[in-house]
Amino acid sequence: MSAPSDIPQAPKVTEREARQVAEAAREQDWRKPSFAKELFLGRFRLDLIHPHPQPAPDDVRRGEAFLARMREFCETRVDGALIEREAKIPDEVINGLRELGALGMKIETKYGGLGLTQVYYNKALALAGSASPAIGALLSAHQSIGVPQPLKMFGTQEQKDTFLPRLARTDISAFLLTEPDVGSDPARLATTAVPDGDEYVLDGVKLWTTNGVVADLLVVMARVPESDGHKGGITAFVVEADSPGITVEHRNAFMGLRGIENGLTRFHGVRVPAANRIGPEGAGLKIALTTLNTGRLSLPAMCVGVGKWSLKIAREWSAVREQWGRPVARHEAVGAKISFIAATTFALEAVVDLSSQMADESRNDIRIEAALAKLYGSEMGWLISDELVQIRGGRGFETADSLAARGERAVPAEQMLRDMRINRIFEGSTEIMHLLIAREAVDAHLKVAGDIIDPDKALADKARAGANAAQFYARWLPKLVSGPGRVPNAYGEFRVPGHPDLSTHLRYVERSSRKLARSTFYAMSRWQGRMETKQGFLGRIVDIGAELFAMSAACVRAEHLRVNDDHGREAYQLADVFCRQSRLRVEELFGRLWSNTDDIDRRVVDGVLSGTYTWLEEGVIDPSGEGAWIADATPGPAEGDNVHRPIR
């Protein structure tokens, strides 16, 4: 049979149905310990991250050798300003990355890759991204969320043997999930894959396909209709990008990351062998989310690179720019910004390196840690970028080309700000990350008490859940009253003569962890089934957890550097300053848990949507053009040219 011509648009689903799809795609079990999960439960398991895990000597040797080659390549063959001006990475640069082996950084050596650890893969991305953020995005999209990672985790041996050697050496990959009217709500996915013998026929439209314009191989998420012999559901496929029926209809342009090859891709009657299906039917969303568990670490890694560069520019510029008789760095208002950049960069690197090393060792479940790293890295990286522009003043707003044209150093601060803005949106927006992490953070509660607040559960189920919850909370709640954070000498190994006392910060983290767990329990008792609607509260809970995780990582990293005689005194100072800054943010967030404008904000939103405040919009001209808010994505044949541009 052939694919039907009347394929429907995105299916209409209720809010509950959408939640059920997302819930089904979650990893349901916790088979390994998780530092962050325990942190949200009020249990400060420092033993899970301290002493700081160490990479194997051979991994270090291979990783450092590749970083040296990557640095030389970026310094001699990458012109970031050219990529920004032309909004394109030159073909010779991409071919140079192929020759360098950069496409196979995370692919095992037996398939022709470099087999780098997550730690060194992230360091390489930070280095490449500092030369050109577009190159960092290209390499990250190819390996972190593109075809190699899902194949590594879920592919058959035949699929690995077929595709991984290509992906390691020559082929660029892309990940296609988002659609014009489907973002973080995959229950409405409209692209279909209709079984036809030993093939599937794909129809649909995918949006924001990073690398999609130049990709050779695609991982595509599509909905398989349920039928005889087919379970159906959202399913993952490896698709050859030059297959008949695939058209890249548009290359998107953005405020930042101007060199990325991101497009709109249409599938019309595209035949894909069943052998190219990754995992069983219906497992696609789980594969996507599991892939992102470690894939998300690439984004905060590049934020670390931004922090390092920002610190360098802030140091050099603020030492020579004088105001009122002294360098601007010596003025407290500017000095505070420099201190924030330095301390936060140290903490971000601590978070990324710790999470990455834990991912390499596979001793811990890092799904929450990786999500926190992405959330925290993108938010703090944006603030660092903004502060650098402010330190640079008018020159921060001026383009690098303009600066160079009038004889000054071409510092692309405004470009960095534009490039960094997307990090708070893609691979899970800040708002979505808040909800995702919050769901994982309350998982233990829902497992024992979820049936109590589920309106669809029978009374007998609720009674059993009540009994189980009573037992769980009888054991758990008393442990939240007191702990090592109240003991003056706790964490004494972090109290080193001649160094700032970091033990006081770890005791604060322990106390705050218990306070965080008590606050979560109180909120669940108060709002019960309405808890999931309290997104403002949940976001603050997650933000507190992110700060506590960052404080823990910073202290552990400082002690690791001290023990290894690697700038230990300076690391202790940076960790101390960061923790003091972080504690102020935590205290504010705790206060805003219960004193906020969430309720009246909702009333204002109701008024805005009903048109109550349209008078406030008067007196301006809307410069927006004509057109639909969301473009038509009806499946069918392409009507325009194919702008697919494979690089040879």
Side-chain angles (χ1 to χ4, degrees):
M1 70 176 185
S2 61
S5 59
D6 55 344
I7 299 172
Q9 288 275 18
K12 300 295 183 182
V13 296
T14 65
E15 182 178 355
R16 183 171 182 80
E17 289 170 336
R19 288 199 304 270
Q20 288 173 340
V21 170
E23 183 66 20
R26 283 184 60 250
E27 290 185 73
Q28 303 292 327
D29 299 320
W30 294 85
R31 291 179 289 274
K32 297 177 182 178
S34 165
F35 173 79
K37 176 175 178 284
E38 294 293 301
L39 196 67
F40 280 107
L41 286 171
R43 299 189 285 247
F44 181 46
R45 291 286 309 278
L46 186 62
D47 60 295
L48 293 177
I49 61 172
H50 174 67
H52 196 292
Q54 303 244 24
D58 187 56
D59 291 336
V60 173
R61 179 187 58 77
R62 290 187 299 109
E64 292 294 339
F66 178 73
L67 287 181
R69 297 196 300 273
M70 174 67 86
R71 174 175 290 277
E72 181 183 11
F73 177 85
C74 289
E75 288 178 340
T76 60
R77 299 179 61 181
V78 174
D79 185 343
L82 176 69
I83 294 172
E84 172 71 4
R85 284 194 300 272
E86 298 189 355
K88 176 184 174 183
I89 303 172
D91 290 2
E92 57 268 26
V93 171
I94 294 178
N95 286 326
L97 291 169
R98 285 169 167 154
E99 296 167 5
L100 193 65
L103 295 185
M105 286 188 286
K106 286 190 72 179
I107 297 175
E108 294 176 87
T109 54
K110 65 182 178 181
Y111 299 113
L114 299 179
L116 297 185
T117 62
Q118 185 73 38
V119 169
Y120 277 97
Y121 169 66
N122 286 342
K123 290 181 182 295
L125 287 179
L127 181 61
S130 65
S132 168
I135 292 178
L138 174 113
L139 295 174
S140 174
H142 166 67
Q143 290 170 91
S144 298
I145 59 175
V147 178
Q149 191 67 17
L151 279 191
K152 175 183 177 181
M153 302 179 72
F154 300 99
T156 65
Q157 190 58 53
E158 181 181 359
Q159 289 172 337
K160 294 176 183 179
D161 292 339
T162 300
F163 297 116
L164 289 181
R166 293 169 53 185
L167 294 161
R169 301 187 187 101
T170 58
D171 287 15
I172 297 171
S173 70
F175 174 76
L176 280 65
L177 171 63
T178 305
E179 299 177 0
D181 196 24
V182 179
S184 298
D185 185 10
R188 300 175 57 249
L189 199 74
T191 298
T192 58
V194 178
D196 185 8
D198 59 356
E199 294 180 319
Y200 290 84
V201 182
L202 271 61
D203 283 272
V205 179
K206 295 292 185 179
L207 178 61
W208 295 324
T209 60
T210 301
N211 289 356
V213 178
V214 297
D216 304 288
L217 286 171
L218 316 171
V219 57
V220 181
M221 298 294 164
R223 183 184 303 278
V224 177
E226 184 178 354
S227 61
D228 290 342
H230 292 276
K231 175 186 176 182
I234 298 173
T235 306
F237 299 90
V238 178
V239 182
E240 299 280 357
D242 60 357
S243 299
I246 297 181
T247 305
V248 179
E249 295 190 333
H250 179 70
R251 182 180 186 263
N252 300 318
F254 302 102
M255 67 180 286
L257 290 181
R258 290 180 175 171
I260 63 171
E261 300 287 352
N262 181 295
L264 178 79
T265 303
R266 179 177 295 274
F267 296 84
H268 178 60
V270 178
R271 293 191 166 271
V272 179
N276 285 21
R277 189 188 69 218
I278 308 175
E281 291 182 356
L285 191 55
K286 182 182 290 290
I287 290 171
L289 294 179
T290 305
T291 297
L292 282 171
N293 280 342
T294 54
R296 284 194 174 99
L297 289 173
S298 62
L299 189 150
M302 288 184 280
C303 292
V304 170
V306 165
K308 289 174 176 287
W309 180 78
S310 297
L311 181 60
K312 179 179 185 294
I313 297 300
R315 172 179 58 82
E316 295 175 353
W317 162 251
S318 59
V320 300
R321 172 69 165 117
E322 290 191 358
Q323 188 83 354
W324 298 317
R326 53 178 172 167
V328 293
R330 299 301 180 185
H331 292 283
E332 191 173 85
V334 175
K337 298 179 186 302
I338 296 173
S339 174
F340 167 78
I341 291 173
T344 306
T345 297
F346 177 82
L348 288 183
E349 187 168 38
V351 165
V352 172
D353 278 6
L354 178 62
S355 301
S356 300
Q357 187 58 41
M358 289 195 294
D360 286 330
E361 294 184 353
S362 296
R363 286 191 294 114
N364 294 348
D365 187 323
I366 67 155
R367 74 183 84 160
I368 299 182
E369 285 84 347
L372 286 173
K374 189 276 175 187
L375 169 70
Y376 199 70
S378 61
E379 290 293 325
M380 302 308 279
W382 167 255
L383 291 176
I384 288 173
S385 303
D386 188 55
E387 293 289 42
L388 178 63
V389 168
Q390 192 70 18
I391 290 171
R392 288 275 292 163
R395 291 171 174 84
F397 194 66
E398 191 172 0
T399 68
D401 282 349
S402 177
L403 288 165
R406 59 184 187 79
E408 291 195 0
R409 183 170 173 177
V411 178
E414 61 83 28
Q415 178 195 335
M416 181 185 65
L417 192 66
R418 290 186 284 103
D419 291 338
M420 285 292 289
R421 186 59 184 84
I422 188 58
N423 292 336
R424 299 174 62 210
I425 298 173
F426 67 7
E427 292 189 28
S429 69
T430 291
E431 293 73 24
I432 292 299
M433 296 306 297
H434 277 153
L435 299 181
L436 183 152
I437 298 168
R439 172 61 187 86
E440 300 296 349
V442 302
D443 186 54
H445 299 285
L446 293 180
K447 283 184 175 178
V448 298
D451 286 355
I452 299 176
I453 60 178
D454 189 337
D456 293 339
K457 294 296 182 181
L459 288 177
D461 294 327
K462 292 179 181 289
R464 281 192 296 272
N468 292 334
Q471 294 179 16
F472 173 80
Y473 290 119
R475 296 190 304 270
W476 179 67
L477 286 171
K479 297 178 181 178
L480 301 183
V481 177
S482 186
R486 296 290 181 187
V487 180
N489 294 323
Y491 313 114
E493 65 268 39
F494 291 85
R495 187 187 300 112
V496 181
H499 294 63
D501 184 3
L502 298 186
S503 68
T504 183
H505 300 310
L506 293 177
R507 290 194 296 274
Y508 177 83
V509 172
E510 195 278 336
R511 295 193 305 272
S512 298
S513 173
R514 288 186 283 108
K515 182 178 180 180
L516 184 64
R518 293 194 302 268
S519 300
T520 303
F521 173 75
Y522 174 72
M524 291 188 68
S525 303
R526 175 180 175 181
W527 292 314
Q528 298 186 30
R530 293 184 295 127
M531 180 77 163
E532 63 188 21
T533 69
K534 302 296 181 179
Q535 294 181 3
F537 177 89
L538 292 173
R540 294 176 200 113
I541 287 286
V542 169
D543 286 339
I544 293 171
E547 294 283 2
L548 299 182
F549 177 41
M551 291 172 66
S552 305
C555 290
V556 168
R557 180 177 179 82
E559 173 62 6
H560 169 69
L561 294 177
R562 185 193 70 82
V563 169
N564 287 276
D565 196 25
D566 187 9
H567 304 291
R569 187 183 303 275
E570 296 87 353
Y572 256 64
Q573 184 180 30
L574 288 170
D576 178 54
V577 172
F578 171 77
C579 287
R580 291 176 185 274
Q581 294 172 356
S582 179
R583 287 170 69 160
L584 294 176
R585 294 190 291 267
V586 169
E587 290 303 307
E588 179 186 358
L589 286 165
F590 268 126
R592 290 175 54 211
L593 286 179
W594 312 111
S595 179
N596 53 64
T597 61
D598 292 349
D599 290 338
I600 59 174
D601 288 343
R602 281 189 287 272
R603 290 199 290 272
V604 170
V605 170
D606 290 340
V608 170
L609 295 180
S610 66
T612 302
Y613 308 120
T614 53
W615 53 269
L616 190 58
E617 302 167 8
E618 296 173 0
V620 298
I621 294 174
D622 182 358
S624 306
E626 299 294 326
W629 284 107
I630 299 172
D632 179 33
T634 303
E639 297 181 357
D641 295 335
N642 186 1
V643 298
H644 182 227
R645 187 179 64 84
I647 299 170
R648 302 296 180 226

